[in-house]
Amino acid sequence: MRTLQVLADLQSAVRSARCAGSSIGLVPTMGYLHQGHLTLVERARAECDLVVMSIFVNPTQFGPQEDFVLYPRDLERDRYLAAEGGVDVLFVPDVDTMYLGGSGEQQVWVEPGSLADHLCGASRPNHFRGVATVVAKLFNMVQPDRAYFGQKDAQQAVIIGRMARDLSFPIEVRVIATVRESDGLALSSRNVYLRAGERQQAVALSTALERGRKAIEHGERDPRKVEQQVLGHLSESAPEADIDYVTVADLNSAKPLERIRAGNVLVALAVFFDRTRLIDNIIVRVDSAALQTDEKAAAQR
Amino acid sequence: MRTLQVLADLQSAVRSARCAGSSIGLVPTMGYLHQGHLTLVERARAECDLVVMSIFVNPTQFGPQEDFVLYPRDLERDRYLAAEGGVDVLFVPDVDTMYLGGSGEQQVWVEPGSLADHLCGASRPNHFRGVATVVAKLFNMVQPDRAYFGQKDAQQAVIIGRMARDLSFPIEVRVIATVRESDGLALSSRNVYLRAGERQQAVALSTALERGRKAIEHGERDPRKVEQQVLGHLSESAPEADIDYVTVADLNSAKPLERIRAGNVLVALAVFFDRTRLIDNIIVRVDSAALQTDEKAAAQR
């Protein structure tokens, strides 16, 4: 594995691979790698000839009160894990490479519009503008054929997929299922912040989402009632969690649903344990046959 | 010259050229070609192995009251001129190629921020968002090494240059001097709309700008006074012109100057003749030596 800091080196590595007929996969990360990232690498490895991973803790996606400075970093460990995982090129740019003149100089942004109005976007103003912009930069720097993102960051996946389409990037955006601990907690670099008691309670994020899934599968079609069941479970099982949101949303628009209909329904939540913000989500597939049966059953009640 | 409508055809033409070691130049246009466009082609021809021109009248950069429908179009003439001018690949996408599902479906935009606050941006809300977004799309579709724009669209040139930098496009943006008729009128596809009397008066755009240049060269350092001289000449010599703006601005930020200092000063204007909107501008280089002399002279007065 080659570790590159200089943009010109990255570009020449990628260009010569491309012109030799190789397909390029990009796995953008903020480092502090875990099995979730490595699963993205695995998938990229299976589908692409050259696997590029970027590690960059992007200042413009953190709010002024957020954990940019404290975000966990461990480049030596990351290099080891990336190499073991099958990364060919590890790109670790500094801030001045990603933002000429510094991130305060950025004037032209990629704006996700109303896709950022709800869920995490509602409580993290400018977060997704920062994400979309830095990913656009990485797309332009690497010009990959495919790029890999985790489903855990559901709204990010929606926005990046839409950005690729709306800005005509010739890049396939792949969204890969969330990797979880054996007790169900979604892997996150931020889990390292959790104290023991918080870690135990954090299991409730995924069990609460499963409550939501069951409610929908049992025919509940009112999103607010599904959210109440998820909230109820959370406050019972994770009393220390400060709940940011629990929302049943449309998977394509990241907008709260008024009514659950056939299609992919996103059940998403965010909580704080002290200053540690955790997110998780599930996708529930509601098919139109199930919907008809449910509505018939509802009519018969 | 090959004329291509299908994106995949364009991409395969460009890819094979690139991997054969050719450099790619892109000249994005809205068609109805004139010598200004052909001068961009000439420059691209001199600097690049493969010259791609796009012709696309972009709906998202026109306001609802503007001339999208009436914008002049003549593809047969354009094809002839482009081929004669040395274009290798003419890309003429339809709206659905540029905007999947139609331009109303666009959700993620490239936003130029405060670079669009003044000059044309002030009277054409969302115009530069549309321009930046469609150019980003063309950059992604063609992935050229260099792209060519005319200085006549001064604020567009500022925004595209900044976009390339801020979104890390690996593309050199070249801005080429405005081409003028022998009487000084800047070439524009919209000149065809002018009635005879308007056409005569339109000469005043460039002569008024030259007044501004003289005022600065003679030591005027108050931008408002320079603007007044330009305005005075315009209203005298083009009584039918409805003036949108005359602004002395910083060339890098497209912001009105408070005081003229050393550097590149943009003197820009826009006027309407009936419903035809014309723009023009000049760049005046003010060097610090000239400035010192002027200030000494001012102090002695």
Side-chain angles (χ1 to χ4, degrees):
Chain A
M1 185 183 77
R2 295 171 66 192
T3 302
L4 303 175
Q5 289 191 287
V6 174
L7 179 56
D9 296 341
L10 171 77
Q11 285 172 326
S12 90
V14 171
R15 280 200 179 200
S16 54
R18 181 180 304 112
C19 289
S22 297
S23 61
I24 319 286
L26 171 66
V27 181
T29 80
M30 298 210 301
Y32 214 74
L33 303 178
H34 52 63
Q35 189 55 44
H37 302 108
L38 297 174
T39 302
L40 304 181
V41 171
E42 237 171 68
R43 183 68 173 271
R45 187 74 280 163
E47 297 179 344
C48 307
D49 301 310
L50 185 84
V51 176
V52 179
M53 173 185 276
S54 62
I55 295 182
F56 179 64
V57 183
N58 172 34
T60 69
Q61 71 190 67
F62 289 83
Q65 306 304 321
E66 293 181 357
D67 59 348
F68 173 64
V69 172
L70 293 176
Y71 195 86
R73 293 160 170 90
D74 187 344
L75 185 56
E76 276 322 294
R77 185 168 159 277
D78 286 347
R79 287 183 61 175
Y80 174 80
L81 291 172
E84 288 291 299
V87 169
D88 298 304
V89 174
L90 185 67
F91 181 48
V92 288
D94 59 16
V95 172
D96 283 339
T97 300
M98 294 302 294
Y99 295 93
L100 288 180
S103 61
E105 290 300 303
Q106 186 79 13
Q107 295 202 42
V108 177
W109 296 90
V110 178
E111 289 280 1
S114 67
L115 295 174
D117 283 351
H118 302 284
L119 308 174
C120 292
S123 41
R124 303 187 72 188
N126 291 334
H127 169 67
F128 287 114
R129 179 183 85 165
V131 169
T133 300
V134 82
V135 172
K137 284 170 179 277
L138 289 166
F139 280 8
N140 283 332
M141 289 172 168
V142 179
Q143 299 187 330
D145 299 284
R146 297 181 197 88
Y148 296 82
F149 297 86
Q151 177 56 39
K152 201 204 69 180
D153 298 284
Q155 193 172 14
Q156 167 178 287
V158 169
I159 288 171
I160 298 303
R162 188 75 194 198
M163 174 184 84
R165 170 194 151 129
D166 279 1
L167 300 186
S168 306
F169 279 103
I171 297 172
E172 267 182 75
V173 173
R174 299 268 208 229
V175 181
I176 309 299
T178 302
V179 178
R180 299 175 180 281
E181 303 279 4
S182 57
D183 65 2
L185 178 66
L187 296 194
S188 163
S189 304
R190 289 187 173 101
N191 290 349
V192 70
Y193 293 138
L194 296 172
R195 291 190 299 264
E198 293 170 340
R199 171 65 186 81
Q200 278 184 319
Q201 292 182 28
V203 178
L205 274 64
S206 60
T207 51
L209 289 170
E210 287 305 322
R211 284 284 176 97
R213 182 200 299 281
K214 287 234 169 61
I216 296 170
E217 286 174 352
H218 289 159
E220 183 56 66
R221 291 297 172 259
D222 179 347
R224 301 301 86 78
K225 291 201 175 140
V226 175
E227 291 163 5
Q228 277 159 24
Q229 297 213 24
V230 175
L231 282 164
H233 180 86
L234 261 183
S235 28
E236 239 173 68
S237 310
E240 288 179 59
D242 185 5
I243 297 167
D244 181 8
Y245 69 82
V246 172
T247 305
V248 176
D250 176 63
L251 183 63
N252 297 313
S253 66
K255 280 187 186 44
L257 285 172
E258 290 307 311
R259 181 86 192 148
I260 294 170
R261 300 180 195 284
N264 286 317
V265 173
L266 178 69
V267 187
L269 56 78
V271 309
F272 284 91
F273 283 103
D274 198 358
R275 300 199 52 186
T276 305
R277 190 171 182 279
L278 299 183
I279 59 176
D280 198 357
N281 69 86
I282 53 169
I283 297 171
V284 184
R285 171 89 204 149
V286 179
D287 64 30
S288 52
L291 209 64
Q292 279 163 12
T293 318
D294 299 335
E295 291 191 342
K296 221 178 277 172
Q300 284 168 358
R301 275 201 292 265
Chain B
M1 184 184 77
R2 296 171 66 191
T3 303
L4 303 175
Q5 288 190 287
V6 174
L7 179 56
D9 295 342
L10 171 77
Q11 285 172 326
S12 89
V14 171
R15 280 202 179 198
S16 55
R18 181 179 304 113
C19 289
S22 297
S23 60
I24 319 285
L26 172 65
V27 181
T29 81
M30 299 210 300
Y32 214 74
L33 302 178
H34 52 63
Q35 189 54 44
H37 301 109
L38 297 173
T39 302
L40 305 181
V41 171
E42 239 172 65
R43 182 69 172 270
R45 187 73 280 162
E47 297 179 344
C48 307
D49 301 311
L50 185 84
V51 176
V52 179
M53 174 186 277
S54 62
I55 295 182
F56 180 64
V57 183
N58 172 34
T60 70
Q61 71 191 66
F62 289 83
Q65 305 306 320
E66 293 182 357
D67 58 347
F68 173 64
V69 172
L70 293 175
Y71 196 86
R73 293 161 169 91
D74 186 344
L75 184 57
E76 275 322 292
R77 186 169 157 278
D78 286 346
R79 287 183 60 175
Y80 174 80
L81 291 171
E84 288 291 298
V87 170
D88 298 305
V89 174
L90 184 66
F91 180 48
V92 288
D94 59 16
V95 172
D96 284 338
T97 299
M98 294 304 293
Y99 294 94
L100 288 179
S103 61
E105 290 300 302
Q106 187 78 13
Q107 296 202 41
V108 178
W109 296 90
V110 178
E111 288 280 2
S114 66
L115 296 173
D117 282 352
H118 303 284
L119 307 174
C120 292
S123 40
R124 303 186 74 186
N126 291 333
H127 169 67
F128 287 114
R129 180 184 83 164
V131 169
T133 300
V134 81
V135 172
K137 284 169 180 277
L138 289 165
F139 281 8
N140 283 331
M141 289 171 168
V142 178
Q143 300 187 329
D145 299 284
R146 296 179 199 89
Y148 297 83
F149 297 85
Q151 177 57 39
K152 201 206 68 181
D153 298 284
Q155 192 172 13
Q156 168 177 287
V158 169
I159 288 171
I160 298 302
R162 188 75 194 199
M163 175 184 83
R165 169 193 151 128
D166 279 1
L167 300 186
S168 306
F169 280 102
I171 297 172
E172 267 181 75
V173 172
R174 299 267 208 229
V175 181
I176 310 300
T178 303
V179 178
R180 298 176 180 281
E181 303 279 4
S182 57
D183 65 2
L185 178 66
L187 296 194
S188 163
S189 304
R190 289 187 172 100
N191 290 349
V192 70
Y193 293 138
L194 296 173
R195 290 190 301 265
E198 293 169 341
R199 172 63 187 82
Q200 279 184 320
Q201 292 183 28
V203 178
L205 273 63
S206 60
T207 51
L209 289 169
E210 286 306 322
R211 284 284 177 96
R213 181 199 301 280
K214 288 235 169 61
I216 296 170
E217 285 175 353
H218 290 160
E220 184 56 66
R221 292 295 172 261
D222 180 345
R224 302 300 85 79
K225 292 200 176 143
V226 175
E227 291 163 6
Q228 278 159 23
Q229 298 212 25
V230 176
L231 282 165
H233 181 86
L234 261 184
S235 29
E236 239 173 68
S237 310
E240 288 179 58
D242 185 5
I243 297 166
D244 180 7
Y245 69 83
V246 172
T247 305
V248 175
D250 177 64
L251 184 62
N252 297 314
S253 66
K255 281 186 185 44
L257 286 171
E258 290 308 310
R259 181 88 192 147
I260 294 170
R261 301 181 194 285
N264 287 317
V265 174
L266 177 70
V267 187
L269 57 79
V271 309
F272 285 91
F273 283 103
D274 198 358
R275 299 200 53 187
T276 305
R277 190 172 183 279
L278 300 183
I279 59 176
D280 198 358
N281 69 86
I282 53 169
I283 296 170
V284 185
R285 170 90 205 148
V286 179
D287 63 29
S288 52
L291 209 65
Q292 279 163 11
T293 317
D294 300 335
E295 290 190 342
K296 220 177 277 173
Q300 284 168 358
R301 275 202 292 266

